[in-house]
Amino acid sequence: MTDKEQLITADSLESAHVKKKLGITKLIPRLPWFVAGGYVVFWIMLFLGVVIPLFYHLPEGKTLEDAGPGNKAFIAERAQEDLRVFASIGTKVLSSDNNEIKTHNFILNRLETILGNVNDEIVTMEISAQTVSGTFIRNTQLHLYENVQNIVVKVTPTGNTNDKWILFNTHSDSKPTSPSAGDAGFMVVIGMEVLRLITTQDFKLKTTIVFVFNGAEENTLLGSHGFITQHPWAENCTVLVNMDAAGSGSKEILFQSKDPRLAKLYKKYVRHPFATAIAEEIYKSGIVPSDTDWSIYTTVKNTLVGYDIGQCINGFVYHTKYDRYDIIPLGSIQNTGDNALSLIVGLATEDWTETTETGTAVFFDFLGLFMISYTNTVAVKLNYAVAAVTIVLVYLSLLRIASVAKVTSEHVITWFVLILVVQVIAFVLGVGLPIVVAYVFDKYGLTLSYYSTPILSLGLYVCPSLVGLALPSCIYLKLQKNENLTYVQQLQMALHGHAVVLSLLCVALNYYGLRTTYVFTWTLIFYAIPLALNLLSTLHDRGWSWTFVLKVFQVIPFMYNSYIFYVLIVILTPMMGRFGQNTNPDLFISALAALGTVLSMGFLILLINMSRRSGIILVALVAVSAATIYVASSTEIGFPYRPKTNVQRLASLQVNRVLYEFDGTVSRNESGYLISLQDRRGSSPLTEAGVDLSNMRSLTADCNAWPVCAQPIPDWRYLKAYQNLTWIERKTPIQTPIPTPPLTLLNRTILDDGKTLQLVMRCNFTDHSTLVIQPLTDVTITKWSLLDSFRAVTPPYIVFYSYGLKKEFIDIIIELTKPDYDFEMPSTIVGIGRQFMNATGDAEAQAFYDSMPSFTAVVQWLADYHQYIF
């Protein structure tokens, strides 16, 4: 038999033999290009057919037919009916009748009904209607509030002596225009149904549970501050379950938890887990433009631990008039209800303080099927260990390759260093190309093109990332001239190179202290295990055989990584619509998509090089990306906004402002529209839609000349983005509903020491007002009737004042001094901005707002600002 015949028959199933120099190099047949194409399609279908359905899966909602004696199940239909009534009240702005009377009475009536059905043999129930006033500093501003209403309920098991109580908190107020079905009426009715169950069914509770339905969260977390600082039941509250929303109509995510013991209990009791430490680190980074009562509770009482849980899907309706009852499915209520009930009952039946674990925790769910958690101490050790083991296994694999190829280990390692450089380039391209796309789109005014059509992100960011990951190795393997190492071995080394890159990143992120490192760690675990198995079984040396084991093990990290980054993008995309104009939000979304692609497909995409024509796959990816870029940039599909579902947010005040000189004369009296544009595209979509903004001007000059731009800033978010505030002046004066002047100087006295000027001012505030105090050069405030520690803040001093139940006025005393004691000259500027949130304005204003396109959600009201010099 000839050598040629041997080549064809003996080893054709796996390899052909050709003598090369001193050794024998195996030439392994490569796969047809369409097999590689099918391979890519498989992973796409796995994502679309398994990952996405599991993410959106909701349990079947239980109806009243499922209720009955002894039934401990959460009944979603009962909560849904309560939600319908709650949403029908309408907007629930602090101090409005809807909030202070109708919503307050609605909750009280429901609680009284529950109280009438309490099983006295198992628990006692008390209701406390709290009206509270207080003050605190937050974000360098002073928050002063009066007559804010909370409704507090205490459920105590019979015979209970445990002094460590559980606190369930949510809020019932809303932003203007929003009926607040999702934020947070959804959580209010969840809390009431949980209350009904634990007071009628015997869950063997061992500790007291306090429920707080606070009436002022949207106005800088006032209700929670009032409870935790002043209510007598607050002292014993040890574990917090805070329920809020930044979306509506799906699952609720656990995005903050301080204690590893509590993470374990969440894992143990919650029926539909949805949680990740990544969300907590993103939230704490300040990227998310929201806040929750958790911040106040854990700041005021730093020993308080627990859970911060929120609705997070469909954040497009958040704080808009589209946050309606009818967009929330019954299954969503059932999902959150099951979880809230099981978590509250679990905490109340188990002494979580018995364990000694401290610090923070790494926690995450796997496709909503089960939960994994462990302490951060364990995580740090695990992260380092997995990175080290992966690098050791890669080294052993290189030695095996050298042995099989009958070359020196130095030769193999030298080539591996080259391949490692190639994979570093691949990683940089995999992350960098999507970011480049985001930068270019922003440069040409096309930011947020994916906002209403999320599938565009696949072509804009995922496909470029895949091309970046695969292209360097594809070029290298086409051009490499190593006659001692087979194509298969070098492809194997390319995957090792990617593993080493991830290992080094894992070490760096772990050293930096990020719990998010767990994603890299678990990705590496499912590369290290098949590599170890291949080495032990000799599949490592048998052609393409090692790829089968690798592919099987890659299913898990692919599913998880694609799941978690899809979740993050779904949650964060709506937030990009209120991210402000100063930062390109696409950079953040593209980076998330790129990292998700690298971690999901980093190993898998390299295997397209098993194909004889892997370039066809890359060309297809480039074509998809190019087509998507065209669609996103040149068609209406890429326009970010849609009426009702994906709106552009526009906040505006109808303002009358009056500026007085030191002698009391008016230097400026004008009216106009203060407009806060909340996303990167700014006013361009409005102009393109035909809105007349020709008179719009920046307030930069005003902001440089006067404190807070001489405008009635309603909250800290306006202050944060004051550079982007714009003004449209109008000739017709804006008439505010209250003719009473906002400030009356009751007394201006030089005290007996001759060194101090005392001002006594009566402020006629509305329910939402701002007081601004700016001492002039060399003037020092030595004493005042406000919180004394607030004087340490750098001026201007900004006070946000609010009340729930009406307060007529507030008197403020300020004492000033200056080096020359010349008080015949100006000493300080005082400004008062008043909000009239329940006033719609005149016909001219309504005509202006009606001219806005249908894709715009306008939140507007009347306001005035008066600035004085004393």
Side-chain angles (χ1 to χ4, degrees), residues 97 108 126 171 266 366 368 390 396 436 567 634 694 731 857:
D97 286 349
L108 273 180
E126 301 172 66
H171 70 92
Y266 181 93
F366 182 77
T390 301
L396 294 175
V436 169
V567 165
S634 304
S694 57
K731 295 180 180 180

Side-chain angles (χ1 to χ4, degrees), residues 742-753:
L743 184 145
T744 302
L745 185 62
L746 299 180
N747 200 357
R748 187 180 190 275
T749 306
I750 299 175
L751 300 185
D752 292 340
D753 61 5

Side-chain angles (χ1 to χ4, degrees), residues 306-326:
Y307 311 93
D308 204 3
I309 298 171
Q311 280 280 323
C312 56
I313 312 303
N314 192 22
F316 300 105
V317 303
Y318 174 71
H319 286 177
T320 73
K321 61 184 178 181
Y322 302 113
D323 184 9
R324 303 186 310 265
Y325 156 82
D326 57 2

